Amino acid sequence: MRIVIIGAVAAGTSAAAKARRNSEDAEIVIYEKDSFISYSGCGLPYYIGGEVESASELTPRDPAFFKSKYNVDIFTQHEALVLSPDTKSVIIKNLTTQEVFTDHYDKLVIATGARASVPPIKGADKAHVFTLRNIQDMNRIKAFIDANRPRTAAIIGTGFIGLEVCENFKKLGLEVTLLEKMPQIMPGLDGDMSVYVEDHILANGVTAWTGVSISEITEHGVMLADGREIRAELVLVATGVRPNTELAAAAGIELGPTGALRVNTRMQTSLPDIYACGDCVEQFHVVTGKPVYRPLGSTANKTGRIAGDSMTGGDLEFRGILGTGIFRVFELTVAQTGLSEREARELGYDVAVCHNIKPNKPEYMHGREMVIKGIADKADGRLLGAQIVGYEGVDKRIDVFVTAITFKAKAEDLFHLDLAYAPPFSTTKDPVMYTGMILDNAIRRGRELMTAEGLDALMTSGEKYALIDTRSAAQYEKGHIESAANIPHAKLRAASESLDKDTVAVTYCNKGTTGNATQNILLGKGFKRVYNLSGGQKQYEATHRKNAPAT
């Protein structure tokens, strides 16, 4: 059996390695139009900023490695031009010699990846404008910085790549301006979580403009549609990627609704003996079962392994994704998995939402706060998604949520997890457990939560309500929510006798714990509708801060 693979980065080489493990008899050849193979695309920003000292650390394997270890022939600088499924052939062009030849396959794997998606902006082709998708892009940016010593940079787009490069540009001493078309940075997060990221970025000396459109990139900067000019000697366009599907589509291979290649759980395309994997294929979401396109290196490796197994007689099948992602920006860790609140509501879920603000470990062990947003289905308590912003320990918490959501856990199940505990690593009840407790209390135990947005809506609805700040008088005087009355926790039992039990009551404290305790008091006193403000004063203030740079 002759296996031909088109593409030799994450998915293609994973497919080849798994196919070889399953079959010593197969002939395996990979064609890659780039010069580099099997590189760490996620490490590119860190070489630019100097955290990774040598580019060779990102390209640890070359064709000779795969030949010696796997008996796989990899030909770089070879582009697949035409795919002919009827004759099981591929026309290949050697980009070095310009020779064009035809190869034949018994099984074909398409692992053509994705390319940077650049909006139609005038000036985007200028020499000081870059994308960051591969090793060549990385080297061009590094060479430009070394040769020109720019002092200012603009980054268009505020996803993972944009923010990771932002951090690394700042390490090099550049003044950085972020430009985002959406109303918030990091549009994949819910707005009530992205505010923490924006606060942190601004505190580290970065300028961020949201809700802006770009009319032109000039020699000296970026012109916004409203006439403002952002000075920038270097411009990075980080506005996402699009799948490389042209070769496959021209051969009649079916595309999915996301625009990427449609495959089944065994990575088979719509044509026989042709498989596809990596960033050129769409996935399906574990929660909804619907097609999604979330290209990530971890998923590319996974789908490559499945393709290699499938075409050599194995039984591996793809089980979907949650869109899990994590990144670091200026020591802040940001992670998410599953559905955002926005996505869940758009899909028709009636959701319970909580904002849990807890340290990753005890303060006496130098614990630092993290904010966990949990999202669950009110109908049955099933966890739908989680977002976390914090420092140490964010990664392990998001992975617990990933596991729980994957296995269809309910909010109540989180409390019962036997998670590892010792003071250097966690609190006695881990923040994950607290998140489950808060959501379960809201869904099944009558301890409903009200978000900051919900409180704003109540305050302008005309409905009568009582907003109760349960903190001390001194804390109240330092700052409180407009229209809130200060009734400290210790005085609430007595004061409740003078309150209308039929009026909507909303309790709050700094972060939510005392708000819940006072909510319990009022419910125990016979109050009909009592809410605890999710995340307390801290979360409310965060969602109402408007950080905008001066013009």
Side-chain angles (χ1 to χ4, degrees):
M1 178 171 66
R2 183 170 176 81
I3 297 171
V4 173
I5 300 173
I6 303 171
V9 187
T13 52
S14 292
K18 182 58 178 174
R20 175 58 73 220
R21 293 187 186 102
N22 285 2
S23 172
E24 268 300 312
D25 299 327
E27 295 179 72
I28 306 175
V29 60
I30 307 180
Y31 294 108
E32 169 58 57
K33 72 176 183 178
D34 203 342
S35 302
F36 298 93
I37 68 165
S38 191
Y39 55 82
S40 176
C42 298
L44 303 179
Y46 304 102
Y47 173 70
I48 293 171
E51 188 169 338
V52 175
E53 295 182 358
S54 172
S56 63
E57 296 180 66
L58 304 177
T59 57
R61 302 176 185 89
D62 59 12
F65 169 88
F66 279 90
K67 181 63 176 176
S68 64
K69 184 168 183 177
Y70 295 108
N71 192 23
V72 170
D73 293 308
I74 299 182
F75 298 94
T76 59
Q77 292 286 289
H78 280 66
E79 182 178 7
L81 301 178
V82 180
L83 167 60
S84 300
D86 292 341
T87 59
K88 287 194 168 184
S89 63
V90 187
I91 297 176
I92 304 291
K93 182 177 183 179
N94 184 324
L95 300 178
T96 302
T97 66
Q98 305 304 306
E99 174 195 3
V100 176
F101 60 93
T102 300
D103 197 354
H104 290 82
Y105 64 86
D106 296 301
K107 304 284 187 181
L108 178 74
V109 179
I110 298 172
T112 46
R115 63 186 180 275
S117 177
V118 179
I121 301 172
K122 183 179 179 182
D125 57 348
K126 291 185 180 296
H128 67 297
V129 181
F130 302 90
T131 58
L132 183 58
R133 181 64 188 165
N134 54 38
I135 297 292
Q136 284 91 341
D137 292 340
M138 177 190 77
N139 287 336
R140 282 192 288 266
I141 294 171
K142 189 72 162 62
F144 181 88
I145 292 173
D146 290 344
N148 297 278
R149 302 294 177 186
R151 293 167 296 175
T152 55
I155 299 175
I156 302 171
T158 59
F160 291 4
I161 292 295
L163 295 182
E164 288 171 343
V165 174
C166 169
E167 175 185 5
N168 283 283
F169 278 175
K170 283 293 290 183
K171 285 181 178 178
L172 297 176
L174 278 70
E175 295 180 18
V176 181
T177 301
L178 295 173
L179 301 171
E180 174 57 58
K181 184 177 182 179
M182 302 301 289
Q184 65 180 64
I185 65 167
M186 197 59 203
L189 290 176
D190 285 321
D192 54 7
M193 294 297 283
S194 74
V195 291
Y196 292 102
V197 185
E198 183 171 352
D199 284 350
H200 189 73
I201 288 170
L202 296 179
N204 278 274
V206 175
T207 302
W209 292 98
T210 57
V212 297
S213 296
I214 295 165
S215 61
E216 182 181 358
I217 300 174
T218 68
E219 295 293 340
H220 306 291
V222 179
M223 293 295 299
L224 303 184
D226 61 9
R228 286 176 293 174
E229 182 178 15
I230 307 301
R231 302 289 293 179
E233 298 162 83
L234 186 161
V235 178
L236 177 73
V237 181
T239 49
V241 301
R242 62 179 63 182
N244 293 322
T245 59
E246 290 80 3
L247 177 71
I253 294 174
E254 192 176 324
L255 302 183
T258 67
L261 299 180
R262 185 199 297 274
V263 292
N264 63 16
T265 57
R266 293 174 59 78
M267 298 296 118
Q268 295 168 314
T269 69
S270 58
L271 296 182
D273 296 322
I274 300 180
Y275 300 76
C277 52
D279 290 353
C280 62
V281 306
E282 67 182 16
Q283 309 87 29
F284 67 91
H285 202 285
V286 168
V287 173
T288 68
K290 295 182 178 181
V292 291
Y293 180 63
R294 303 284 174 82
L296 289 171
S298 53
T299 305
N301 276 281
K302 188 183 301 179
T303 56
R305 175 179 168 83
I306 294 170
D309 185 69
S310 180
M311 66 184 172
T312 51
D315 61 0
L316 284 177
E317 292 192 46
F318 186 59
R319 299 184 181 182
I321 65 162
L322 286 170
T324 305
I326 188 168
F327 69 95
R328 183 194 74 193
V329 58
F330 301 115
E331 304 306 320
L332 186 74
T333 304
V334 184
Q336 65 184 119
T337 191
L339 300 178
S340 66
E341 179 187 358
R342 178 179 62 253
E343 290 170 331
R345 292 191 186 281
E346 288 174 352
L347 289 166
Y349 288 97
D350 183 15
V351 297
V353 172
C354 77
H355 301 83
N356 176 26
I357 305 173
K358 294 288 189 301
N360 67 301
K361 55 188 177 184
E363 291 185 7
Y364 63 78
M365 296 300 293
H366 312 292
R368 300 181 71 180
E369 278 186 353
M370 61 174 66
V371 182
I372 301 178
K373 179 173 183 177
I375 302 137
D377 187 355
K378 283 185 179 179
D380 59 7
R382 182 184 176 186
L383 290 167
L384 301 176
Q387 300 171 27
I388 311 178
V389 176
Y391 298 89
E392 182 184 349
V394 169
D395 51 348
K396 80 169 185 175
R397 270 76 184 202
I398 201 67
D399 283 342
V400 174
F401 282 111
V402 170
T403 305
I405 296 170
T406 298
F407 291 103
K408 298 181 171 55
K410 297 182 178 182
E412 64 189 88
D413 297 324
L414 295 179
F415 170 71
H416 297 283
L417 296 176
D418 187 17
L419 300 177
Y421 163 68
F425 306 104
S426 180
T427 50
T428 49
K429 286 198 286 286
D430 190 87
V432 170
M433 299 168 69
Y434 271 115
T435 302
M437 293 162 59
I438 296 167
L439 286 171
D440 183 45
N441 282 341
I443 294 169
R444 298 197 306 134
R445 305 180 189 281
R447 272 56 179 173
E448 293 189 65
L449 297 165
M450 183 172 287
T451 64
E453 294 80 6
L455 178 57
D456 287 340
L458 175 64
M459 292 166 69
T460 58
S461 67
E463 183 177 3
K464 187 179 178 183
Y465 67 92
L467 179 59
I468 304 171
D469 186 321
T470 66
R471 300 172 301 159
S472 68
Q475 291 173 313
Y476 176 84
E477 291 300 327
K478 286 182 179 179
H480 59 269
I481 300 172
E482 184 180 357
S483 79
N486 182 218
I487 308 177
H489 182 189
K491 298 180 179 180
L492 183 60
R493 285 183 174 86
S496 66
E497 301 301 326
S498 62
L499 299 176
D500 183 356
K501 294 182 179 180
D502 294 319
T503 296
V504 175
V506 182
T507 61
Y508 77 90
C509 59
N510 283 327
K511 302 167 191 174
T513 302
T514 303
N516 173 246
T518 49
Q519 178 187 35
N520 289 333
I521 291 172
L522 294 181
L523 288 170
K525 293 284 188 180
F527 284 69
K528 303 295 191 299
R529 298 164 63 195
V530 187
Y531 298 87
N532 180 21
L533 181 63
S534 183
Q537 171 90 0
K538 179 169 183 173
Q539 180 64 30
Y540 189 86
E541 284 184 347
T543 59
H544 287 75
R545 280 194 293 270
K546 179 57 182 175
N547 291 307
T551 56

